[in-house]
Amino acid sequence: MLRFFFDFDGRITRTQYALGAIAIWGSLFALMVAIALAGSSLLVGQDITSLRVSDMPPSLFEALGINSVAILFVVILAMFFTGLSMLALSSKRFHDMGQSGIWVLLG
C-alpha cells in the first residue's frame, strides 16, 4: 500500500488517482481536525465570550505537557508526506499520458 503512494514508477487509472488523492487529503484533513479539537477540547461547554486570557483553561496539549513545537513538527511532517505522495500519484498519471513524470515539478 505504501508503494502505491510513494513509488514514482508505473501507471494508475483515473479512478485510482482520484481515490488516492481523496485518501491523502482526507487523512491530512482528519489530522488537522484532530489537532484543532484537542487544542480546544477543554473549552467545550464554556461561554468563551466572557473568558479573559488569564481565565482560560489549558488546552489538552498543555495539560499533557506537549509542546507546540512538537505539534508544528507533526503538521510539517504530514504536509511533507502529503506533497510527496501527491507528486508520486501525479507522476504516474503523467506516465499514462506518455509524458515524463518530471513535468509534475514544472507544472
Side-chain angles (χ1 to χ4, degrees), residues 2 8-9 17-18 28 38 45 51 60 63-64 67 73-74 80 82 84 88 92-93 95 98-99:
L2 287 178
F8 285 83
D9 294 328
Y17 176 78
L28 184 64
L51 285 177
L60 182 61
L64 294 175
N67 192 349
F73 177 73
V74 168
F80 171 76
T82 299
L84 185 66
K92 291 177 191 179
R93 283 302 298 153
H95 292 164
Q99 302 291 326

Side-chain angles (χ1 to χ4, degrees), residues 26-72:
S27 62
L28 184 64
F29 179 75
L31 175 70
M32 298 299 171
V33 168
I35 288 174
L37 289 177
S40 64
S41 65
L42 297 179
L43 291 175
V44 174
Q46 293 187 15
D47 181 23
I48 60 171
T49 58
S50 63
L51 285 177
R52 293 187 304 262
V53 174
S54 60
D55 296 337
M56 298 276 284
S59 69
L60 182 61
F61 296 124
E62 291 171 347
L64 294 175
I66 298 174
N67 192 349
S68 61
V69 174
I71 297 166
L72 180 64

Side-chain angles (χ1 to χ4, degrees), residues 73-95:
F73 177 73
V74 168
V75 170
I76 289 173
L77 196 63
M79 292 179 76
F80 171 76
F81 283 116
T82 299
L84 185 66
S85 57
M86 283 305 296
L87 282 175
L89 288 178
S90 299
S91 174
K92 291 177 191 179
R93 283 302 298 153
F94 269 86
H95 292 164

